[in-house]
Amino acid sequence: MTAAERPAYQKYEVAVRKSGINGFGVFAAEPIAAHRKIGEIRGETISVSEARRRASGRQRIMIVEISARKAIDASKSDDPMRFTNHACSPNARLTIRDGRVEFYALRVIPPGEEITVNYGPTHHEGTLKCRCGAANCSGWL
Ligand SMILES: [Zn+2]
């Protein structure tokens, strides 16, 4: 996808492919500068109770809670950032701002490197094994 084909909120070229961490991941396809916005996830806005209902019993979900009451379900979205994997030493961070789910680089990310964020608390509630491989890996999600 070229810059002209991407939505304006996807700032950098990324590629979705198989990841050593889990399933598919998002990889930088061009150098990403430190602290710059990489992209966003957009999707269906639903209530947190609906989000929890959809998440129950599923291993991999694409739902982000954006407030105490609202969540975004990106299952039907085309945004590549929805494949972002968790890592305990991530190179990016996820920020909720004005109801938007935004990704920012924590440092320079060279082409070919997988983009990761620290999810924080997840619906797995510490029961899913983390395979990020970081020295400080907490072991569980
Ligand atoms: Zn880890």
Side-chain angles (χ1 to χ4, degrees):
M1 213 185 280
T2 67
E5 292 164 341
R6 295 195 300 265
Y9 58 83
Q10 181 64 41
K11 302 297 184 188
Y12 284 94
E13 184 75 34
V14 296
V16 174
R17 59 173 194 263
K18 285 284 275 177
S19 162
I21 298 175
N22 182 34
F24 288 92
V26 187
F27 295 78
E30 63 179 328
I32 298 174
H35 312 302
R36 296 296 296 275
K37 180 175 166 181
I38 304 169
E40 288 182 31
I41 306 177
R42 297 198 178 175
E44 181 188 358
T45 303
I46 56 176
S47 68
V48 162
S49 55
E50 173 65 10
R52 298 208 169 139
R53 191 189 66 75
R54 292 185 187 184
S56 66
R58 282 160 61 188
Q59 274 298 301
R60 191 171 172 103
I61 57 162
M62 294 179 166
I63 295 174
V64 181
E65 293 186 11
I66 56 172
S67 74
R69 304 214 329 243
K70 293 213 178 302
I72 302 276
D73 183 348
S75 307
K76 297 191 181 91
S77 150
D78 290 326
D79 296 325
M81 301 313 294
R82 70 199 177 114
F83 291 103
T84 307
N85 273 315
H86 164 91
C88 297
S89 288
N91 56 17
R93 67 184 167 85
L94 188 158
T95 298
I96 311 296
R97 208 179 60 177
D98 299 333
R100 290 187 184 162
V101 182
E102 302 180 326
F103 293 79
Y104 288 85
L106 291 173
R107 56 166 171 78
V108 172
I109 304 175
E113 186 172 316
E114 181 167 0
I115 298 166
T116 54
V117 298
N118 190 329
Y119 286 175
T122 72
H123 77 294
H124 300 296
E125 293 171 342
T127 62
L128 185 69
K129 204 163 174 31
C130 184
R131 292 182 297 227
C132 80
N136 69 340
C137 180
S138 62
W140 302 91
L141 281 179

mmCIF file of all heavy atoms in Angstrom, residues 52-81:
data_model
loop_
_atom_site.group_PDB
_atom_site.id
_atom_site.type_symbol
_atom_site.label_atom_id
_atom_site.label_comp_id
_atom_site.label_asym_id
_atom_site.label_seq_id
_atom_site.Cartn_x
_atom_site.Cartn_y
_atom_site.Cartn_z
ATOM 1 N N ARG A 52 -17.167 -7.086 26.408
ATOM 2 C CA ARG A 52 -16.825 -8.228 27.272
ATOM 3 C C ARG A 52 -17.588 -9.472 26.834
ATOM 4 O O ARG A 52 -17.059 -10.581 26.874
ATOM 5 C CB ARG A 52 -17.110 -7.868 28.727
ATOM 6 C CG ARG A 52 -16.209 -6.688 29.122
ATOM 7 C CD ARG A 52 -15.865 -6.632 30.581
ATOM 8 N NE ARG A 52 -14.796 -5.627 30.741
ATOM 9 C CZ ARG A 52 -14.733 -4.755 31.721
ATOM 10 N NH1 ARG A 52 -15.634 -4.756 32.674
ATOM 11 N NH2 ARG A 52 -13.731 -3.889 31.774
ATOM 12 N N ARG A 53 -18.835 -9.274 26.363
ATOM 13 C CA ARG A 53 -19.610 -10.417 25.871
ATOM 14 C C ARG A 53 -18.924 -11.013 24.639
ATOM 15 O O ARG A 53 -18.752 -12.222 24.528
ATOM 16 C CB ARG A 53 -21.031 -9.962 25.524
ATOM 17 C CG ARG A 53 -21.997 -11.108 25.246
ATOM 18 C CD ARG A 53 -23.335 -10.624 24.692
ATOM 19 N NE ARG A 53 -23.216 -10.025 23.366
ATOM 20 C CZ ARG A 53 -23.032 -10.710 22.230
ATOM 21 N NH1 ARG A 53 -22.942 -12.027 22.270
ATOM 22 N NH2 ARG A 53 -22.936 -10.088 21.080
ATOM 23 N N ARG A 54 -18.484 -10.122 23.706
ATOM 24 C CA ARG A 54 -17.826 -10.613 22.483
ATOM 25 C C ARG A 54 -16.488 -11.276 22.783
ATOM 26 O O ARG A 54 -16.059 -12.184 22.078
ATOM 27 C CB ARG A 54 -17.605 -9.450 21.503
ATOM 28 C CG ARG A 54 -18.903 -8.908 20.929
ATOM 29 C CD ARG A 54 -18.647 -7.853 19.875
ATOM 30 N NE ARG A 54 -19.904 -7.235 19.461
ATOM 31 C CZ ARG A 54 -20.004 -6.326 18.484
ATOM 32 N NH1 ARG A 54 -18.925 -5.920 17.823
ATOM 33 N NH2 ARG A 54 -21.175 -5.819 18.165
ATOM 34 N N ALA A 55 -15.800 -10.789 23.821
ATOM 35 C CA ALA A 55 -14.452 -11.288 24.122
ATOM 36 C C ALA A 55 -14.479 -12.625 24.844
ATOM 37 O O ALA A 55 -13.525 -13.395 24.759
ATOM 38 C CB ALA A 55 -13.696 -10.263 24.975
ATOM 39 N N SER A 56 -15.560 -12.920 25.554
ATOM 40 C CA SER A 56 -15.553 -14.090 26.422
ATOM 41 C C SER A 56 -15.362 -15.363 25.613
ATOM 42 O O SER A 56 -16.024 -15.583 24.599
ATOM 43 C CB SER A 56 -16.837 -14.156 27.253
ATOM 44 O OG SER A 56 -17.941 -14.371 26.413
ATOM 45 N N GLY A 57 -14.424 -16.184 26.048
ATOM 46 C CA GLY A 57 -14.182 -17.470 25.419
ATOM 47 C C GLY A 57 -13.371 -17.408 24.150
ATOM 48 O O GLY A 57 -13.149 -18.424 23.508
ATOM 49 N N ARG A 58 -12.894 -16.213 23.758
ATOM 50 C CA ARG A 58 -12.072 -16.129 22.546
ATOM 51 C C ARG A 58 -10.632 -15.817 22.916
ATOM 52 O O ARG A 58 -10.362 -15.016 23.788
ATOM 53 C CB ARG A 58 -12.634 -15.060 21.607
ATOM 54 C CG ARG A 58 -13.857 -15.577 20.855
ATOM 55 C CD ARG A 58 -14.699 -14.464 20.318
ATOM 56 N NE ARG A 58 -13.971 -13.632 19.363
ATOM 57 C CZ ARG A 58 -14.464 -12.498 18.869
ATOM 58 N NH1 ARG A 58 -15.638 -12.071 19.254
ATOM 59 N NH2 ARG A 58 -13.765 -11.805 18.004
ATOM 60 N N GLN A 59 -9.693 -16.487 22.224
ATOM 61 C CA GLN A 59 -8.276 -16.311 22.513
ATOM 62 C C GLN A 59 -7.743 -14.995 21.961
ATOM 63 O O GLN A 59 -6.951 -14.312 22.578
ATOM 64 C CB GLN A 59 -7.470 -17.475 21.923
ATOM 65 C CG GLN A 59 -7.392 -18.668 22.840
ATOM 66 C CD GLN A 59 -6.696 -18.354 24.145
ATOM 67 O OE1 GLN A 59 -5.548 -17.940 24.173
ATOM 68 N NE2 GLN A 59 -7.399 -18.528 25.262
ATOM 69 N N ARG A 60 -8.158 -14.673 20.743
ATOM 70 C CA ARG A 60 -7.596 -13.490 20.102
ATOM 71 C C ARG A 60 -8.730 -12.567 19.706
ATOM 72 O O ARG A 60 -9.604 -12.934 18.935
ATOM 73 C CB ARG A 60 -6.793 -13.894 18.870
ATOM 74 C CG ARG A 60 -5.970 -12.730 18.317
ATOM 75 C CD ARG A 60 -5.010 -13.178 17.244
ATOM 76 N NE ARG A 60 -4.397 -12.010 16.624
ATOM 77 C CZ ARG A 60 -3.175 -11.593 16.864
ATOM 78 N NH1 ARG A 60 -2.436 -12.240 17.723
ATOM 79 N NH2 ARG A 60 -2.690 -10.539 16.259
ATOM 80 N N ILE A 61 -8.722 -11.376 20.264
ATOM 81 C CA ILE A 61 -9.767 -10.411 19.969
ATOM 82 C C ILE A 61 -9.130 -9.128 19.457
ATOM 83 O O ILE A 61 -7.928 -8.930 19.578
ATOM 84 C CB ILE A 61 -10.642 -10.098 21.201
ATOM 85 C CG1 ILE A 61 -9.777 -9.589 22.346
ATOM 86 C CG2 ILE A 61 -11.465 -11.303 21.588
ATOM 87 C CD1 ILE A 61 -10.568 -8.874 23.414
ATOM 88 N N MET A 62 -9.931 -8.289 18.876
ATOM 89 C CA MET A 62 -9.450 -7.020 18.357
ATOM 90 C C MET A 62 -10.309 -5.910 18.936
ATOM 91 O O MET A 62 -10.862 -5.093 18.214
ATOM 92 C CB MET A 62 -9.496 -7.025 16.842
ATOM 93 C CG MET A 62 -8.517 -8.032 16.267
ATOM 94 S SD MET A 62 -8.565 -8.096 14.505
ATOM 95 C CE MET A 62 -7.060 -9.018 14.164
ATOM 96 N N ILE A 63 -10.452 -5.934 20.252
ATOM 97 C CA ILE A 63 -11.293 -4.956 20.937
ATOM 98 C C ILE A 63 -10.426 -4.146 21.902
ATOM 99 O O ILE A 63 -9.629 -4.712 22.636
ATOM 100 C CB ILE A 63 -12.430 -5.662 21.703
ATOM 101 C CG1 ILE A 63 -13.377 -6.361 20.709
ATOM 102 C CG2 ILE A 63 -13.197 -4.659 22.563
ATOM 103 C CD1 ILE A 63 -14.453 -7.208 21.365
ATOM 104 N N VAL A 64 -10.583 -2.827 21.856
ATOM 105 C CA VAL A 64 -9.860 -1.950 22.778
ATOM 106 C C VAL A 64 -10.894 -1.121 23.531
ATOM 107 O O VAL A 64 -11.746 -0.487 22.909
ATOM 108 C CB VAL A 64 -8.898 -1.006 22.015
ATOM 109 C CG1 VAL A 64 -8.137 -0.120 22.991
ATOM 110 C CG2 VAL A 64 -7.918 -1.806 21.157
ATOM 111 N N GLU A 65 -10.799 -1.139 24.860
ATOM 112 C CA GLU A 65 -11.698 -0.293 25.660
ATOM 113 C C GLU A 65 -11.147 1.122 25.646
ATOM 114 O O GLU A 65 -9.991 1.350 25.977
ATOM 115 C CB GLU A 65 -11.813 -0.852 27.086
ATOM 116 C CG GLU A 65 -12.517 -2.202 27.086
ATOM 117 C CD GLU A 65 -12.808 -2.760 28.477
ATOM 118 O OE1 GLU A 65 -12.654 -2.033 29.482
ATOM 119 O OE2 GLU A 65 -13.193 -3.946 28.545
ATOM 120 N N ILE A 66 -11.982 2.081 25.214
ATOM 121 C CA ILE A 66 -11.503 3.457 25.083
ATOM 122 C C ILE A 66 -11.973 4.352 26.226
ATOM 123 O O ILE A 66 -11.514 5.473 26.368
ATOM 124 C CB ILE A 66 -11.926 4.078 23.717
ATOM 125 C CG1 ILE A 66 -13.443 4.013 23.529
ATOM 126 C CG2 ILE A 66 -11.199 3.391 22.572
ATOM 127 C CD1 ILE A 66 -13.933 4.767 22.298
ATOM 128 N N SER A 67 -12.899 3.861 27.036
ATOM 129 C CA SER A 67 -13.332 4.593 28.233
ATOM 130 C C SER A 67 -14.004 3.575 29.138
ATOM 131 O O SER A 67 -14.065 2.390 28.810
ATOM 132 C CB SER A 67 -14.310 5.711 27.858
ATOM 133 O OG SER A 67 -15.572 5.153 27.516
ATOM 134 N N ALA A 68 -14.536 4.049 30.261
ATOM 135 C CA ALA A 68 -15.226 3.132 31.179
ATOM 136 C C ALA A 68 -16.488 2.572 30.532
ATOM 137 O O ALA A 68 -16.997 1.547 30.962
ATOM 138 C CB ALA A 68 -15.558 3.862 32.478
ATOM 139 N N ARG A 69 -16.999 3.240 29.490
ATOM 140 C CA ARG A 69 -18.280 2.827 28.906
ATOM 141 C C ARG A 69 -18.194 2.348 27.472
ATOM 142 O O ARG A 69 -19.060 1.628 27.006
ATOM 143 C CB ARG A 69 -19.278 3.992 28.976
ATOM 144 C CG ARG A 69 -19.454 4.483 30.406
ATOM 145 C CD ARG A 69 -20.847 4.971 30.724
ATOM 146 N NE ARG A 69 -21.567 5.554 29.629
ATOM 147 C CZ ARG A 69 -21.977 6.827 29.593
ATOM 148 N NH1 ARG A 69 -21.678 7.629 30.592
ATOM 149 N NH2 ARG A 69 -22.668 7.270 28.588
ATOM 150 N N LYS A 70 -17.162 2.773 26.747
ATOM 151 C CA LYS A 70 -17.118 2.477 25.321
ATOM 152 C C LYS A 70 -15.867 1.706 24.911
ATOM 153 O O LYS A 70 -14.816 1.823 25.529
ATOM 154 C CB LYS A 70 -17.180 3.778 24.515
ATOM 155 C CG LYS A 70 -18.517 4.489 24.639
ATOM 156 C CD LYS A 70 -18.870 5.215 23.354
ATOM 157 C CE LYS A 70 -20.227 5.896 23.429
ATOM 158 N NZ LYS A 70 -21.335 4.975 23.733
ATOM 159 N N ALA A 71 -16.021 0.919 23.823
ATOM 160 C CA ALA A 71 -14.914 0.143 23.288
ATOM 161 C C ALA A 71 -14.981 0.179 21.760
ATOM 162 O O ALA A 71 -16.027 0.502 21.189
ATOM 163 C CB ALA A 71 -14.985 -1.296 23.788
ATOM 164 N N ILE A 72 -13.849 -0.131 21.127
ATOM 165 C CA ILE A 72 -13.787 -0.226 19.672
ATOM 166 C C ILE A 72 -13.544 -1.688 19.308
ATOM 167 O O ILE A 72 -12.589 -2.292 19.794
ATOM 168 C CB ILE A 72 -12.615 0.606 19.098
ATOM 169 C CG1 ILE A 72 -12.736 2.081 19.487
ATOM 170 C CG2 ILE A 72 -12.475 0.409 17.589
ATOM 171 C CD1 ILE A 72 -13.616 2.906 18.606
ATOM 172 N N ASP A 73 -14.405 -2.260 18.469
ATOM 173 C CA ASP A 73 -14.189 -3.609 17.948
ATOM 174 C C ASP A 73 -13.694 -3.471 16.516
ATOM 175 O O ASP A 73 -14.420 -3.006 15.637
ATOM 176 C CB ASP A 73 -15.496 -4.407 17.990
ATOM 177 C CG ASP A 73 -15.306 -5.853 17.525
ATOM 178 O OD1 ASP A 73 -14.233 -6.166 16.967
ATOM 179 O OD2 ASP A 73 -16.229 -6.666 17.717
ATOM 180 N N ALA A 74 -12.427 -3.856 16.291
ATOM 181 C CA ALA A 74 -11.800 -3.690 14.977
ATOM 182 C C ALA A 74 -11.784 -4.989 14.185
ATOM 183 O O ALA A 74 -11.043 -5.122 13.212
ATOM 184 C CB ALA A 74 -10.376 -3.156 15.137
ATOM 185 N N SER A 75 -12.611 -5.973 14.596
ATOM 186 C CA SER A 75 -12.616 -7.278 13.911
ATOM 187 C C SER A 75 -12.883 -7.138 12.417
ATOM 188 O O SER A 75 -12.345 -7.901 11.616
ATOM 189 C CB SER A 75 -13.685 -8.188 14.509
ATOM 190 O OG SER A 75 -13.529 -8.283 15.896
ATOM 191 N N LYS A 76 -13.732 -6.177 12.033
ATOM 192 C CA LYS A 76 -14.088 -6.032 10.622
ATOM 193 C C LYS A 76 -13.364 -4.870 9.961
ATOM 194 O O LYS A 76 -13.677 -4.491 8.840
ATOM 195 C CB LYS A 76 -15.608 -5.853 10.494
ATOM 196 C CG LYS A 76 -16.376 -7.074 10.989
ATOM 197 C CD LYS A 76 -17.852 -6.989 10.618
ATOM 198 C CE LYS A 76 -18.631 -8.181 11.135
ATOM 199 N NZ LYS A 76 -19.184 -7.936 12.481
ATOM 200 N N SER A 77 -12.388 -4.311 10.665
ATOM 201 C CA SER A 77 -11.629 -3.170 10.139
ATOM 202 C C SER A 77 -10.523 -3.661 9.196
ATOM 203 O O SER A 77 -10.106 -4.814 9.254
ATOM 204 C CB SER A 77 -11.022 -2.412 11.325
ATOM 205 O OG SER A 77 -9.824 -1.797 10.967
ATOM 206 N N ASP A 78 -10.054 -2.789 8.311
ATOM 207 C CA ASP A 78 -8.905 -3.110 7.452
ATOM 208 C C ASP A 78 -7.610 -2.524 8.010
ATOM 209 O O ASP A 78 -6.569 -2.630 7.376
ATOM 210 C CB ASP A 78 -9.114 -2.513 6.046
ATOM 211 C CG ASP A 78 -10.221 -3.231 5.292
ATOM 212 O OD1 ASP A 78 -10.365 -4.455 5.497
ATOM 213 O OD2 ASP A 78 -10.920 -2.571 4.511
ATOM 214 N N ASP A 79 -7.674 -1.874 9.161
ATOM 215 C CA ASP A 79 -6.487 -1.180 9.675
ATOM 216 C C ASP A 79 -5.423 -2.186 10.105
ATOM 217 O O ASP A 79 -5.673 -3.040 10.947
ATOM 218 C CB ASP A 79 -6.873 -0.288 10.861
ATOM 219 C CG ASP A 79 -7.814 0.818 10.431
ATOM 220 O OD1 ASP A 79 -7.658 1.305 9.294
ATOM 221 O OD2 ASP A 79 -8.698 1.192 11.221
ATOM 222 N N PRO A 80 -4.211 -2.089 9.535
ATOM 223 C CA PRO A 80 -3.183 -3.082 9.858
ATOM 224 C C PRO A 80 -2.789 -3.069 11.334
ATOM 225 O O PRO A 80 -2.422 -4.114 11.874
ATOM 226 C CB PRO A 80 -2.001 -2.681 8.971
ATOM 227 C CG PRO A 80 -2.237 -1.243 8.606
ATOM 228 C CD PRO A 80 -3.730 -1.074 8.577
ATOM 229 N N MET A 81 -2.899 -1.913 12.011
ATOM 230 C CA MET A 81 -2.430 -1.825 13.393
ATOM 231 C C MET A 81 -3.223 -2.732 14.329
ATOM 232 O O MET A 81 -2.794 -2.997 15.448
ATOM 233 C CB MET A 81 -2.488 -0.371 13.901
ATOM 234 C CG MET A 81 -1.663 0.632 13.100
ATOM 235 S SD MET A 81 0.028 0.111 12.731
ATOM 236 C CE MET A 81 0.741 0.070 14.376
#
